Amino acid sequence: MSDKRRGEVLRAIISDYVHSGEPVGSKVLVERYDLGVSPATIRNDMAELEESGLIYQPHTSAGRVPTDRGYRAFVNQIATLKPLSQPQRDAIQLFLTGAADLDDVVDRTVRLLAQLTQKLAVVQYPSYNRASLKHLELLLLDPHRVLLVVITDTGRVEQRLIEVAQAPSEEQVAQVGVLLNSGLDGLDSTAVRAVAESLTGTSAGLSSMSKSLIEQVSPMLVEILDGDTQQKFVMAGTANLVRQGSEFSGSIGPVLDALEEQVALLRLFQTQSAIDGVNVSIGSENRHDGLVEASVVTGTYGDVTSAPSHLGVVGPTRMDYPTTMAAVRAVASYLSQFLAR
């Protein structure tokens, strides 16, 4: 049997099994798929696939179903992913448009991913401790209160209220804002602290009011950019997993228990073999006992080179891998573009 035909038979078995949920026999393959060979040849091919551990027979006289190795061989054959349809891409963009802040963006993203894939979706927040300043605004609310608005490169928006002893003018506050934006743009918390100290030095030539305002703004910026160093995850679509509970031999309890563990969530995103930027971990490949009957499809977003953040979906091993992978890739791409804007 040729490797090419072997791959075609395996793809046909997986496609039919994913669609129907029923073991696939040679008669079904002959009737539904144009494989160009006789039923006897297909039976021989299936016997060789079974001997190779790619499919197995769950019951006597039944058809065959894919094994984890079979799914892996199938996924490895996918060279590139088919783009989503234009209506799907428009729906993603529309769903993310109008988000008020990072929390809203993440919430919309995880719900969108669960809806698109009909799986349980997980989105990791950007790593705040790696954040740098993208922009800040200083607004004079009244003679003794200034509002600080900070936008980080992760898309996070924070506000702080500053009480000032000296009553500045709107022009003075605006000038300090321009000075800080020009000097601190793109810097992380460590660099912000150093530059802010230099701005308030004796040779800076600033008024006492401006120096005082910068001295109050500086620690607030450092606090915001340092942020929460703990990893944070958001999940949606648990009901999708519950509806697919029959796909698991026991119950979905172990899967849900695993997803409540911080270490398990981090491990979901540590798979390295990528197809078009998407990683797939199947069944026994998952490094957690609770996920041995599940598959995990993940992608990265944001600064994928130095500080990547992750998102993905969890479902039974019987899933439409190409469609799920394409959805994960598309959502990750749109999220990166949205945050960059």
Side-chain angles (χ1 to χ4, degrees):
M1 146 182 178
S2 69
D3 289 341
K4 181 179 179 181
R5 196 176 72 236
R6 174 181 178 173
E8 291 173 350
V9 172
L10 179 61
R11 282 196 297 272
I13 292 172
I14 291 177
S15 175
D16 201 273
Y17 180 63
V18 166
H19 176 74
S20 68
E22 298 294 332
V24 184
S26 58
K27 183 179 179 181
V28 168
L29 294 179
V30 171
E31 293 174 349
R32 298 179 183 173
Y33 301 91
D34 183 16
L35 296 173
V37 293
S38 67
T41 300
I42 291 178
R43 286 193 292 271
N44 289 335
D45 292 345
M46 293 177 69
E48 291 191 36
L49 287 170
E50 186 170 11
E51 186 176 345
S52 299
L54 302 177
I55 60 175
Y56 75 101
Q57 189 175 29
H59 309 290
T60 305
S61 301
R64 272 54 169 188
V65 300
T67 63
D68 288 355
R69 286 183 60 191
Y71 284 125
R72 169 50 61 195
F74 169 75
V75 168
N76 287 348
Q77 290 174 353
I78 301 173
T80 57
L81 299 175
K82 182 181 178 181
L84 298 185
S85 67
Q86 189 62 50
Q88 288 174 314
R89 297 198 296 271
D90 291 342
I92 294 174
Q93 190 166 17
L94 180 63
F95 200 82
L96 293 179
T97 299
D101 53 28
L102 181 62
D103 292 333
D104 193 14
V105 171
V106 172
D107 178 67
R108 289 175 182 234
T109 299
V110 75
R111 289 188 288 115
L112 171 66
L113 194 54
Q115 181 180 336
L116 282 175
T117 63
Q118 291 299 297
K119 304 289 185 293
L120 185 147
V122 183
V123 175
Q124 178 189 24
Y125 265 74
S127 300
Y128 301 149
N129 56 314
R130 296 171 179 165
S132 59
L133 179 66
K134 185 173 183 180
H135 186 72
L136 66 81
E137 290 282 349
L138 289 173
L139 305 171
L140 184 64
L141 301 181
D142 60 44
H144 295 285
R145 291 192 306 164
V146 175
L147 180 66
L148 168 66
V149 182
V150 177
I151 304 174
T152 72
D153 64 342
T154 65
R156 189 169 182 81
V157 180
E158 289 279 352
Q159 297 182 7
R160 295 288 190 275
L161 193 62
I162 304 171
E163 302 285 345
V164 292
Q166 296 175 272
S169 65
E170 289 187 0
E171 290 76 14
Q172 288 175 314
V173 172
Q175 287 173 1
V176 171
V178 171
L179 177 64
L180 290 175
N181 273 309
S182 62
L184 305 180
D185 180 46
L187 302 183
D188 61 17
S189 59
T190 302
V192 161
R193 183 184 291 108
V195 173
E197 289 176 355
S198 70
L199 290 176
T200 57
T202 56
S203 62
L206 298 177
S207 68
S208 59
M209 187 283 303
S210 297
K211 289 183 179 181
S212 175
L213 188 54
I214 292 174
E215 287 171 350
Q216 288 180 271
V217 167
S218 176
M220 293 180 179
L221 285 175
V222 170
E223 177 189 353
I224 291 169
L225 294 174
D226 278 343
D228 183 0
T229 58
Q230 297 298 314
Q231 296 287 353
K232 184 178 179 182
F233 301 90
V234 177
M235 287 188 289
T238 303
N240 294 334
L241 206 59
V242 172
R243 283 192 291 269
Q244 299 165 358
S246 60
E247 297 290 333
F248 303 93
S249 60
S251 71
I252 65 168
V255 179
L256 296 177
D257 289 342
L259 295 176
E260 289 181 358
E261 298 178 17
Q262 186 86 353
V263 173
L265 285 173
L266 288 171
R267 285 177 176 173
L268 294 184
F269 300 127
Q270 292 177 353
T271 306
Q272 297 302 316
S273 55
I275 299 169
D276 257 11
V278 178
N279 298 301
V280 181
S281 183
I282 302 169
S284 55
E285 296 173 355
N286 294 308
R287 293 181 290 172
H288 195 290
D289 291 342
L291 299 173
V292 293
E293 293 185 86
S295 285
V296 182
V297 180
T298 65
T300 57
Y301 73 91
D303 185 352
V304 298
T305 303
S306 60
S309 299
H310 302 82
L311 54 77
V313 297
V314 180
T317 54
R318 186 175 76 89
M319 73 165 63
D320 184 344
Y321 287 95
T323 300
T324 303
M325 293 164 68
V328 168
R329 181 187 64 170
V331 171
S333 175
Y334 273 89
L335 182 56
S336 293
Q337 295 172 29
F338 189 86
L339 291 178
R341 293 196 298 269

